[in-house]
Amino acid sequence: MLPTRIEIIPSTGIVDQVRALVPLTTTLTITCLPHHGVERTMRTSVELSDFGYTVIPHLAARSIHDRAELTRIMRDCDGAGIGEVFVIGGDRKQPAGPYGSALPLLEDLAQYTGGRMRAGVAGYPEGHPTVAALDLLEALQDKQLLATHVVTQMCFDAPKILDFAALLRREGVNLPVWAGVAGSVPRTKLLALATQIGVGSSLKFLSSKGTLARKLLSGDRYSPHTLVAGLESQPGIAGIHLYSFNNLDAVPNEAGHASSPTALQPALIRGAAREQ
């Protein structure tokens, strides 16, 4: 079973939800959305870390106002025992400060922490809606000496993820790849998100699979089980980054029992609990 991390959105009440429903042994990653900002990401990350979770805050470069704010973030991480972050450019239209992309933020992180802070970076098996494929590859080549792993965008096609990992290796990017996988989620939300982030071609892949696609996409919820099975024991795949969409009401508790029939895949959650 691949190790699994669970991504959550720092919405109101999410800390209580996590504490009630997610085992302490589960690694959590905390998003940084433009309308939330880095402050909410860090507040939630520190609070969950204080409760005993291993937490990875997302740092959106374009949402950081100045280097003094980055220093405060690093101080908060140090105080909470947070040793890893996920660095992205972010979706904010205009940078709030000096960081227009992930690379200069990674450079400052390395300088401020003496290289001690582990940092994941984003990868795009299906490309980016606004960035050319060659530019994306060159950016990863530039970042790899400052990063520890790549996390892919949400994708629904195991061969695309595996091809992406193989492409990175051929081009000299030897960072481990964590596959971005959607958890159990309402179909309508899934389709809307896929359209926004540019993963339509892997949904088309599902649509070409007849009975399987109808089972996955015509019901109320999507399940990642088949996709994850296609990534098991494959070269270059270090683990699963599970986009939970805050659907935590079904995460098995420490005894391994799901609290709802609309559960996130129990095997994925057990994998998350084993990552430690």
Side-chain angles (χ1 to χ4, degrees), residues 24-211:
L24 276 174
T25 46
T26 302
T27 296
L28 305 170
T29 78
I30 316 299
T31 64
C32 181
L33 302 177
H35 61 288
H36 286 165
V38 178
E39 182 180 354
R40 183 183 292 196
T41 298
M42 287 307 304
R43 184 169 63 248
T44 303
S45 297
V46 169
E47 192 170 354
L48 286 168
S49 183
D50 287 345
F51 282 123
Y53 290 94
T54 298
V55 179
I56 303 169
H58 294 203
L59 301 184
R62 295 166 71 87
S63 291
I64 295 178
H65 291 84
D66 50 37
R67 289 179 173 84
E69 182 178 18
L70 179 60
T71 300
R72 291 192 296 271
I73 290 169
M74 290 299 96
R75 187 179 299 119
D76 289 343
C77 285
D78 187 58
I82 295 172
E84 183 173 330
V85 294
F86 177 55
V87 178
I88 54 175
D91 294 329
R92 188 184 177 110
K93 291 184 179 180
Q94 296 297 325
Y99 303 111
S101 65
L103 181 58
L105 179 56
L106 287 166
E107 291 170 341
D108 279 358
L109 279 174
Q111 179 182 353
Y112 292 0
T113 68
R116 293 189 304 275
M117 179 63 73
R118 292 171 53 83
V121 293
Y124 300 90
E126 297 187 69
H128 190 283
T130 62
V131 183
L134 183 58
D135 292 338
L136 290 171
L137 179 59
E138 289 179 348
L140 278 176
Q141 290 170 330
D142 290 341
K143 295 172 188 174
Q144 69 169 324
L145 294 179
L146 301 168
T148 52
H149 59 281
V150 175
V151 178
T152 78
Q153 72 182 141
M154 186 169 60
C155 189
F156 302 90
D157 182 355
K160 283 188 180 296
I161 297 171
L162 296 174
D163 286 348
F164 175 72
L167 170 66
L168 295 189
R169 292 195 300 273
R170 287 197 304 271
E171 297 297 330
V173 178
N174 295 311
L175 298 173
V177 174
W178 286 72
V181 173
S184 176
V185 62
R187 179 179 57 86
T188 52
K189 178 182 287 188
L190 178 65
L191 293 174
L193 286 166
T195 300
Q196 291 174 22
I197 65 175
V199 296
S201 61
S202 60
L203 281 180
K204 290 178 182 176
F205 165 83
L206 284 180
S207 298
S208 70
K209 296 302 177 181
T211 302

